[in-house]
Every structure is written in C-alpha cells, then in structure tokens.
Amino acid sequence: VEFERQNILTYFIGIIYSFDTNTGVCPSLHCAYSIAIASVFARTKYISKTTKIAIAAFAFIICLSTMFIKQHSALDFLAAIPLCVLAEFLVYKVFYKKKNEA
C-alpha cells in the first residue's frame, strides 16, 4: 500500500497492514471479540463500575480503530453485533443455565 505522505504514523499503519490482512472481514472478529470481552466483564460482580466503563470504552475504541485504520467497514462492525448477541444467548441462556441447573 502506498501512502500520500510518509511519516511515523503511516509507517506504523504500513506495519499493521503487512501482517493483518483483509481476509475474513465480515463480521469483524476484532469487534466481536472486543464486545464479547466487555460483555463478560460487565456481568462480573467483582469488578468496579469504573473498570467496567473503562473496558467498555476500550472495546468501543477498538471497534472505531478497525474502521479508521480501514481494516473493516461499518458493515463489518454492524455484522459483529448480531454475532455477539447470538453468542451471548448461547453462553448465558443455554449453556450457563444448564450448568447451574445440574
């Protein structure tokens, strides 16, 4: 990839582009994993509210950064949300419930 300008930031973006290819882009697993991790921490009782907010903010920043670095589009991000909702349902409503009933 050629950039209009060459500076330290375009150098780092070039490094990111070199090892993080644009294969398997929809849904964005960067976003899906970040949202899933934030969801798990949001359900944890032993973490302070401030930490939960910070983790949610970091997840949001990760999702934005994948779009700004042009690894993913907004559509890839939006497709990650139903994937997370499905995973949340399976984990907390199906598997977790069965484990606690046994």
Side-chain angles (χ1 to χ4, degrees):
V1 174
E2 290 289 324
F3 296 104
E4 282 182 31
R5 300 179 184 139
Q6 292 297 323
N7 57 41
I8 191 72
L9 297 177
T10 58
Y11 173 75
F12 286 128
I13 291 173
I15 290 172
I16 291 171
Y17 283 178
S18 70
F19 66 83
D20 193 7
T21 62
N22 61 355
T23 55
V25 293
C26 191
S28 169
L29 294 182
H30 294 98
C31 295
Y33 293 156
S34 299
I35 294 167
I37 290 168
S39 172
V40 168
F41 278 102
R43 291 177 174 271
T44 304
K45 298 175 188 176
Y46 309 107
I47 295 177
S48 71
K49 186 175 181 178
T50 305
T51 304
K52 291 177 183 183
I53 291 170
I55 290 169
F58 281 125
F60 182 70
I61 290 169
I62 289 169
C63 292
L64 284 180
S65 71
T66 60
M67 290 183 275
F68 286 133
I69 296 293
K70 297 184 180 177
Q71 291 173 303
H72 297 283
S73 68
L75 180 63
D76 300 334
F77 163 69
L78 293 174
I81 294 172
L83 178 67
C84 289
V85 170
L86 175 65
E88 180 118 356
F89 172 77
L90 290 174
V91 170
Y92 289 109
K93 299 294 185 210
V94 177
F95 298 121
Y96 187 75
K97 188 176 181 181
K98 284 183 182 177
K99 182 180 176 184
N100 287 337
E101 288 176 355

